[in-house]
Amino acid sequence: MTSRPPVPDEAREVFGERWQLAASYADLLATEGVTRGLIGPREAPRLWERHLFNCAALVELLAQDAEVCDIGSGAGLPGLVLAIARPDLRLTLVEPLLRRTTFLREAVERLALTNVTVVRDRAENLPSSFGCDVVTSRAVAPLPKLLSWSLPLLRPGGSMLALKGTSAADELASARNDLARWRVASAEAREIPAIGGRATVIVVKKRESTRLGWAPTKGRSR
Ligand SMILES: C[S@@+](CC[C@H](N)C(=O)[O-])C[C@H]1O[C@@H](n2cnc3c(N)ncnc32)[C@H](O)[C@@H]1O
């Protein structure tokens, strides 16, 4: 038996007039998300604090009408949260596992989200013509892998936003050589305010000029 999490007061603050949509998504995660093995049963009571609010913290880094690709969406974190919080965004959720893309498509339909496309594939298999303004991810892969999956999907000047835990600064330091090889414009770990704490995100910007190169000089792992 799974229980529906109560809606905290802060949901209205974070999701504005779309808070009920966020509540329906939280219900879906707490019920079918758990029974279908997409979310651990212990996560159900802490869905808002640990998952929805943490993911929603990214909205302040997203420009109006941005095209966002969320890689390794799983049950829709952060992709569906962003689509709910910001109807101006266009989201592509990239997830290789059928069980998860089935859930994502059903969630999109049930929540009547018109700004989401679900793609069943591995991020590294997407065509080079694929271009978006921002690539998001949470708990998907170590930074060197994320760079090699995310940067090719970005338009020049676009940003990769990877939600990470407290190890973000260490991950950045250890990936120094990868960042240099990809010749990124900038890379930093940022703490952004989130309800119930702070969210840590690694922000990597791709160069404006593709001629100066975004592809690594050697050792490219695609
Ligand atoms: C630990 S889960 C995290 C899911 C979600 N982002 C979250 O925070 O709950 C990692 C997800 O990345 C997906 N994944 C693994 N390799 C991938 C790849 N090469 N491209 C895209 N997604 C991938 C997995 O199928 C899985 O759904």
Side-chain angles (χ1 to χ4, degrees):
M1 181 72 178
T2 51
S3 60
R4 292 185 148 88
V7 182
D9 292 341
E10 294 90 339
R12 290 166 179 77
E13 186 188 316
V14 173
F15 291 95
E17 61 187 20
R18 286 164 72 88
W19 71 269
Q20 282 167 309
L21 208 48
S24 299
Y25 176 50
D27 276 357
L28 200 55
L29 287 175
T31 53
E32 293 198 29
V34 172
T35 53
R36 289 158 75 169
L38 301 169
I39 289 276
R42 276 188 305 185
E43 298 308 309
R46 52 188 189 185
L47 276 174
W48 287 94
E49 289 72 17
R50 217 179 141 101
H51 300 283
L52 274 74
F53 291 150
N54 174 262
C55 292
L58 286 182
V59 296
E60 72 168 67
L61 304 178
L62 300 171
Q64 182 76 18
D65 298 327
E67 273 189 68
V68 181
C69 176
D70 182 41
I71 62 172
S73 290
L77 299 163
L80 285 182
V81 174
L82 299 177
I84 290 168
R86 289 275 303 275
D88 61 293
L89 303 173
R90 272 167 297 158
L91 268 297
T92 302
L93 313 186
V94 180
E95 169 57 53
L97 293 188
L98 178 62
R99 199 160 52 88
R100 294 179 183 170
T101 52
T102 302
F103 175 86
L104 289 171
R105 290 196 171 107
E106 287 174 14
V108 167
E109 202 175 308
R110 281 209 218 171
L111 302 172
L113 294 171
T114 54
N115 58 339
V116 181
T117 305
V118 178
V119 173
R120 183 177 170 218
D121 211 338
R122 303 183 74 81
E124 64 271 36
N125 291 344
L126 294 180
S128 54
S129 56
F130 191 95
C132 56
D133 305 309
V134 178
V135 174
T136 56
S137 60
R138 190 183 84 146
V140 173
L143 191 51
K145 268 235 150 68
L146 276 184
L147 290 169
S148 71
W149 294 350
S150 307
L151 287 166
L153 304 179
L154 285 172
R155 299 194 175 107
S159 305
M160 177 188 117
L161 306 178
L163 273 167
K164 292 277 184 182
T166 47
S167 63
D170 291 341
E171 264 205 75
L172 260 183
S174 340
R176 212 174 35 238
N177 290 342
D178 300 272
L179 291 161
R181 247 195 338 261
W182 280 97
R183 294 187 245 158
V184 301
S186 64
E188 58 172 340
R190 285 175 65 175
E191 299 261 308
I192 46 175
I195 303 287
R198 296 177 84 72
T200 310
V201 54
I202 292 182
V203 182
V204 177
K205 285 202 185 296
K206 183 166 169 170
R207 284 182 185 235
E208 289 286 349
S209 160
T210 48
R211 267 221 296 198
L212 280 175
W214 48 263
T217 47
K218 57 182 174 179
R220 192 173 175 191
S221 53
R222 274 191 83 206

